[in-house]
Amino acid sequence: MKTILVNPLDETPRAAGRPAPRLDSLAGKTIGLLDISKWGGGFFLDHLEKAFKDRYGVEQIVRVMKPTFTKPAPDAALDQLVKAECAAVIEALAD
């Protein structure tokens, strides 16, 4: 039987873009935390949320969870982050 190897990398050509500008400070900002629903992500985000509030003066944390880590975040989840006017969003990857 013939063995076929498949490259798991997404090598789709994309136009080069510029990264978002760095925030001058986190104080008083709204930060989004996107939990991809892998085990340990919620635990990590709990600690991250506390650190952001205690150390950096973040005003509000908006937490959103994907229904499954195997697919992109649904539009409804992303809309929550957009409507909250998050200054930044962090996606939790954990195992």
Side-chain angles (χ1 to χ4, degrees), residues 5 18 20 36 40 42 44-45 49 55 93:
L5 299 178
R18 294 180 153 227
I36 69 166
F44 170 70
L45 290 176
E49 179 174 352
R55 294 183 193 174
L93 303 174

Side-chain angles (χ1 to χ4, degrees), residues 13-86:
R14 291 180 174 80
R18 294 180 153 227
R22 188 176 289 256
L23 297 174
D24 58 342
S25 169
L26 295 176
K29 303 277 194 301
T30 297
I31 304 297
L33 300 179
L34 178 59
D35 188 336
I36 69 166
S37 75
K38 283 189 114 178
W39 186 89
F43 175 79
F44 170 70
L45 290 176
D46 289 343
H47 289 276
L48 194 58
E49 179 174 352
K50 182 170 176 22
F52 276 151
K53 288 181 175 178
D54 294 348
R55 294 183 193 174
Y56 302 106
V58 167
E59 178 72 26
Q60 181 181 4
I61 296 288
V62 176
R63 289 181 68 159
V64 176
M65 180 181 273
K66 289 175 40 175
T68 176
F69 65 87
T70 61
K71 296 181 182 177
D75 289 342
L78 299 177
D79 287 344
Q80 283 182 273
L81 298 167
V82 171
K83 287 178 185 173
E85 298 183 3
C86 296

